[in-house]
Amino acid sequence: MQKLIAIEGLTKRFGPLTAVSDVSLTVGRGDVVGFLGPNGAGKSTAMRMVAGFIAPTAGRSLVCGYDVGDFPILAKQCIGYLPEGAPLYGDMTVEKFLDFIAQARGLTGSEKKQKLVTAIEKLEIGDVLAQHVETLSKGFKRRVGLAQAIIHDPQVLILDEPTDGLDPNQKHRVRNLIHDMAANKAIIISTHILEEVEAVCNRAAIINKGRLIFDDTPGALLKSSSSGSKTLEDVFRELTSDHEG
Amino acid sequence: MHNIGVIFRRELMSYFSTPLAYVFIVIFLALCGAFTFYIGGFFARGQADLEAFFYFHPWLYLFLIPAVAMRLWAEERKTGTIELLMTLPVTVGQAVVGKYLTAWFFIFIALGLTFPIWITVNYLGNPDNGVIFASYFGSLLMAGAFLAIGSCISGATKNQVIAFIMAAAVSFLFLMSGLDLVVDFFRGWLPGVLVDAIASMSFLNHFIAITKGVIDLRDLVFFGSLIVLSLFINVMLIDLKKAE
């Protein structure tokens, strides 16, 4: 299994606060890692570092073999990234926005056209292409955000809460989409929804107070409970409420 | 170049998809006209030149350019789109230059739309069009310098109002630094060399020199290096503070 993402001792400190502390993780092709943790645990910060938005205080991350700090452009080329909250340029139409992303990703001509069509079909946003992004509902915005992340068919996908704000049907479709893409990509998704981990992830990584405290299959997560908890939610609570940072 | 072009096109689209571009152009043209004819006394002067027109450009730019520049980075930071932009395979330098060039091109359009006054003065008399061309060039160059300062300051905050006020204040210092108002303040306690250095930073003096019709290398170097330096600091600020 090829390691498309290799995170080595990643640490981020903001002044006295350590947001991410010595996190190491490798993700291979075919892996879908569910990044779990309470609010403020450091999930988004960790993902931002891997995506190359912020520089780590210590440690490094390799994406497709490129050190994100040393070769940011090469690394970013093989990443599709959905930032937290799916920020988009509100004053553009969906079509123009996706076209901009495709161009910035270096796509041109018929290849660009074809990849745009594919992404638009996958996320079912064909009906809103002419609308300005700022007029879209939350669910559509999230889907446009996902479309821009997958447009160039990247080998690595980093999705920060990809199903947040979607209705149950849309959630189901997005999970299917992630599931379908999983075979030839390395995917990290962060989520609060534990059922999502069971549905799409073959690995669960739990981060609490900046530290990685669990990294195995969702099944193993269930079994790891010392008090015989029956659901992922119980195990999650057990792990993240008692754990001493 | 490709990436700068991509950013340039996106930015330009965003100017004209909101009322910003139209409001700016209309206000700029209206103020230009009002200043030239009423305060500058274009007709009363009885001279076939555009001195009355160009004389007010520094003062118009003083608050209109910060209004264009304030959104460049502060808005990206406020809406979070900076995270999107900075995780595309685009360098910070390309993004800064792309955005800057768009804003400058936009000013170029606004300035270009003042052409009726050039037609007017040519219809009324026989002006020295070389001087007029040099003045347009100098005006655009000065606008570029104001813009670079504004872009740099916009990169330091996510609050557009702060970006506007700070940019206007810094621009004011640069504009006035040749005048006694500023020079006298420093003259008492700074060595003469430094006072001269501050005085030589004056946008006004450099601009007036160009509007005389003489495009001196020193004025070009002054504005050019100020633009490059501001954008360089701009890149560093974005790099350092993009995630805050």
Side-chain angles (χ1 to χ4, degrees), chain A residues 7-217:
Chain A
I7 301 170
E8 298 167 0
L10 208 58
T11 301
K12 181 71 188 179
R13 278 187 284 272
F14 296 107
L17 176 84
T18 304
V20 175
S21 173
D22 198 19
V23 168
S24 296
L25 190 72
T26 56
V27 188
R29 200 181 291 281
D31 270 349
V32 181
V33 176
F35 221 34
L36 299 166
N39 280 329
K43 301 188 298 284
S44 291
T45 306
M47 294 174 111
R48 282 175 165 177
M49 286 191 278
V50 180
F53 180 57
I54 53 177
T57 312
R60 61 174 191 165
S61 32
L62 299 165
V63 176
C64 300
Y66 299 111
D67 188 316
V68 177
D70 294 339
F71 303 99
I73 299 300
L74 289 170
K76 284 169 187 173
Q77 268 166 354
C78 75
I79 303 176
Y81 178 52
L82 174 71
E84 186 182 22
L88 307 165
Y89 288 109
D91 54 15
M92 301 178 91
T93 64
V94 174
E95 189 174 18
K96 296 262 172 62
F97 171 73
L98 292 176
D99 191 67
F100 159 67
I101 298 289
Q103 286 180 38
R105 290 285 180 190
L107 299 171
T108 50
S110 61
E111 191 197 8
K112 182 181 85 176
K113 210 171 190 176
Q114 180 245 318
K115 292 210 161 158
L116 278 169
V117 169
T118 309
I120 288 163
E121 268 175 13
K122 277 186 177 163
L123 273 309
E124 300 170 57
I125 48 175
D127 293 339
V128 297
L129 286 182
Q131 274 191 46
H132 280 95
V133 170
E134 60 198 356
T135 66
L136 297 177
S137 67
K138 203 175 171 196
F140 267 118
K141 279 183 185 160
R142 188 67 44 147
R143 277 143 76 192
V144 173
L146 280 163
Q148 67 79 23
I150 66 166
I151 220 158
H152 52 302
D153 195 20
Q155 298 198 65
V156 170
L157 269 180
I158 300 171
L159 308 173
D160 203 343
E161 302 190 345
T163 59
D164 188 38
L166 300 182
D167 67 34
N169 294 330
Q170 294 164 348
K171 273 191 181 128
H172 182 70
R173 284 195 213 109
V174 167
R175 282 174 200 163
N176 283 345
L177 174 70
I178 293 172
H179 191 76
D180 292 345
M181 292 189 298
N184 54 5
K185 295 189 197 310
I187 304 177
I188 300 181
I189 63 171
S190 80
T191 180
H192 290 298
I193 310 159
L194 293 159
E195 56 177 275
E196 200 155 281
V197 177
E198 286 179 293
V200 295
C201 302
N202 63 0
R203 268 169 71 193
I206 299 182
I207 188 167
N208 189 33
K209 294 171 186 160
R211 286 180 183 282
L212 190 67
I213 54 170
F214 182 88
D215 175 21
D216 207 330
T217 62

Side-chain angles (χ1 to χ4, degrees), chain B residues 40-88:
Chain B
F42 179 69
F43 290 124
R45 285 162 52 86
Q47 288 178 34
D49 62 30
L50 286 182
E51 233 184 275
F53 168 67
F54 287 111
Y55 182 80
F56 296 102
H57 281 198
W59 308 103
L60 282 175
Y61 290 156
L62 182 60
F63 64 97
L64 285 180
I65 301 267
V68 172
M70 68 180 190
R71 54 170 288 284
L72 284 180
W73 288 100
E75 192 179 34
E76 295 262 358
R77 295 167 60 132
K78 188 88 176 176
T79 58
T81 47
I82 191 168
E83 189 166 355
L84 199 66
L85 184 63
M86 294 287 108
T87 49
L88 290 171

Side-chain angles (χ1 to χ4, degrees), chain B residues 92-238:
Chain B
V92 181
Q94 287 165 344
V96 166
V97 171
K99 277 170 161 287
Y100 171 78
L101 287 180
T102 319
W104 205 3
F105 178 70
F106 173 67
I107 304 290
F108 170 76
I109 294 175
L111 193 58
L113 287 173
T114 60
F115 71 91
I117 193 132
W118 174 70
I119 294 176
T120 306
V121 78
N122 271 282
Y123 175 76
L124 292 174
N126 272 320
D128 184 341
N129 280 318
V131 171
I132 291 177
F133 176 78
S135 302
Y136 265 115
F137 176 75
S139 177
L140 189 63
L141 201 59
M142 180 175 59
F146 277 128
L147 201 55
I149 292 170
S151 173
C152 180
I153 289 169
S154 175
T157 175
K158 59 164 70 172
N159 186 320
Q160 296 197 38
V161 177
I162 291 177
F164 174 83
I165 294 173
M166 288 300 295
V170 173
S171 298
F172 182 74
L173 281 180
F174 270 104
L175 192 59
M176 302 296 285
S177 70
L179 301 188
D180 289 345
L181 173 76
V182 176
V183 174
D184 280 350
F185 174 73
F186 291 108
R187 193 165 281 148
W189 50 281
L190 273 185
V193 185
L194 284 181
V195 174
D196 288 346
I198 290 169
S200 72
M201 291 287 175
S202 166
F203 278 23
L204 217 49
N205 291 349
H206 287 281
F207 174 61
I208 287 170
I210 296 178
T211 57
K212 302 279 184 234
V214 186
I215 300 179
D216 192 324
L217 189 63
R218 280 174 298 183
D219 299 321
L220 295 185
V221 168
F222 170 74
F223 283 124
S225 48
L226 194 84
I227 290 169
V228 171
L229 182 69
S230 296
L231 293 184
F232 182 71
I233 297 171
N234 199 172
V235 170
M236 291 202 301
L237 277 174
I238 300 296

